[in-house]
């Protein structure tokens, strides 16, 4: 065989193959709405981090002489019934909302992923028990279930995180279980099993990496749901307790003055809407680039 023929049969070098990560990044940044959602989310994170530097006033400081002032150059978003600057409280409220979203999703992700791996990989009785447990949780509206859990745990932001985290477990468990059932029968998993790979190695090296993509999407979308539920619990007085700032609690206090100081509910509501919208747009963008069915 000639040298020319040998060169034509050689495989492509790794340098000739497109970089998958760069391809995904290009696809993501072509989605303008997803990029907008990412920037909104990053903006909220920066606000939460630098709230002490950005806030024009102490968010806990009261001054009855300036209570219920409409938005002005001195107080851009106005003041509440205690004379506290609403802009400063919204900035510090971002810390609470994002913290609740991250920790609650962390609880849902860790427990739900573990249960989904057990149900999908082991199966049998474990699968039946875990799936019936998730069915019970899904039988109740999420906010009502969170309220019921907090009835036993008590009020407070820590218990709100736990309640919201428990409510989100079934979603992650079902996603992981479905992915594991589809992956565990693949050839590479069977090959790993045939050469003596243990269950833990099969899960960590061959199964779990292949279920990460839908989990990443669910985490971004789950954070928006957690922030909404945290605001709902705060509105009902079950989350952050006064005088700490939290968007849902600010709306609950502002509703009493809706006729003469409607700005008290408008600005916290806009903050919630922007954060949730940004996370949803970002999550939709991630789903579009990570879903193999949508790749061209």
């Amino acid at each position: 065989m000639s040298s020319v023929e040998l060169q034509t049969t050689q495989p492509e070098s790794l340098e000739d193959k497109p970089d998958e990560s760069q391809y995904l990044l290009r696809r993501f940044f072509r989605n303008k709405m997803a990029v907008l959602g990412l920037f909104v989310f990053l903006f909220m994170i920066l606000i939460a981090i630098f709230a002490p530097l950005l806030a024009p006033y102490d968010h806990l400081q009261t001054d009855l002489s300036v209570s219920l002032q409409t938005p002005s150059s001195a107080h851009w978003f106005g003041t509440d019934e205690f004379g506290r600057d609403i802009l400063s409280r919204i900035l510090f409220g971002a810390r609470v909302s994002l913290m609740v979203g991250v920790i609650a999703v962390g609880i849902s992700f860790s427990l739900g992923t573990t249960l989904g791996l057990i149900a999908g990989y082991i199966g049998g009785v474990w699968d039946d028990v875990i799936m019936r447990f998730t069915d019970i949780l899904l039988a109740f509206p999420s906010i009502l279930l969170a309220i019921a859990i907090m009835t036993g745990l008590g009020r407070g932001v820590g218990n709100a995180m736990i309640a919201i985290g428990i409510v989100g477990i079934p979603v992650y468990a079902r996603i992981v279980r479905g992915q594991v059932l589809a992956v565990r029968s693949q050839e590479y998993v069977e090959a790993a099993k045939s050469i003596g790979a243990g269950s833990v190695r099969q899960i960590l090296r061959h199964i779990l990496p292949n279920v990460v993509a839908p989990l990443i999407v669910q985490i971004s979308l789950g954070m928006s749901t957690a922030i909404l539920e945290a605001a709902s619990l705060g509105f009902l007085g079950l989350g952050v307790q006064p005088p700490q700032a939290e968007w849902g609690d600010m709306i609950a206090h502002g509703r009493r003055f809706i006729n003469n100081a409607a700005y008290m509910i408008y600005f916290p509501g806009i903050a919630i809407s922007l954060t949730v919208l940004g996370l949803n747009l970002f999550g939709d963008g991630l789903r579009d680039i990570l879903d193999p069915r949508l790749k061209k």
Side-chain angles (χ1 to χ4, degrees), residues 105-118 165-166 169 172-173:
V105 168
I107 295 173
S108 301
F109 168 77
S110 57
L111 295 180
T113 300
T114 302
L115 293 176
L117 287 172
I118 294 173
I166 293 175
I169 288 176
Y172 294 90

Side-chain angles (χ1 to χ4, degrees), residues 11-201:
E12 294 182 355
S13 63
L14 294 177
E15 296 178 354
D16 296 331
K17 295 182 179 180
D19 188 355
E20 181 69 14
S21 61
Q22 293 180 0
Y23 168 71
L24 293 178
L25 284 175
R26 287 197 300 269
R27 288 196 63 199
F28 178 81
F29 283 104
R30 289 195 190 106
N31 189 332
K32 296 180 180 180
M33 299 306 294
V35 174
L36 175 62
L38 175 61
F39 279 123
V40 170
F41 181 48
L42 292 177
F43 177 71
M44 289 300 177
I45 292 177
L46 292 176
I47 284 178
I49 293 174
F50 297 105
L53 300 177
L54 297 174
Y57 300 93
D58 182 355
H59 70 293
L60 300 178
Q61 180 182 355
T62 61
D63 185 359
L64 296 179
S65 63
V66 295
S67 62
L68 297 178
Q69 283 196 355
T70 57
S72 63
S73 58
H75 301 277
W76 289 4
F77 288 1
T79 60
D80 63 11
E81 71 273 28
F82 299 108
R84 297 174 297 194
D85 184 67
I86 292 179
L87 173 58
S88 300
R89 292 182 63 78
I90 287 177
L91 294 177
F92 277 89
R95 286 185 158 190
V96 176
S97 295
L98 292 178
M99 179 180 65
V100 171
V102 170
I103 296 179
V105 168
I107 295 173
S108 301
F109 168 77
S110 57
L111 295 180
T113 300
T114 302
L115 293 176
L117 287 172
I118 294 173
Y121 186 81
I122 299 178
V125 177
W126 286 101
D127 186 20
D128 293 336
V129 172
I130 292 173
M131 287 300 100
R132 298 299 77 76
F133 169 71
T134 59
D135 289 341
I136 293 173
L137 294 182
L138 290 173
F140 301 92
S142 58
I143 187 62
L144 293 181
L145 181 58
I147 293 173
I149 295 173
M150 291 200 67
T151 302
L153 297 178
R155 300 183 180 185
V157 63
N159 292 335
M161 295 175 190
I162 296 174
I164 296 171
I166 293 175
V167 168
I169 288 176
V171 177
Y172 294 90
R174 285 182 171 273
I175 290 175
V176 174
R177 175 183 178 269
Q179 293 294 315
V180 171
L181 291 176
V183 170
R184 71 177 185 179
S185 59
Q186 296 295 320
E187 290 81 0
Y188 55 87
V189 178
E190 295 294 333
K193 188 185 301 183
S194 65
I195 62 175
S199 299
V200 176
R201 181 179 178 84

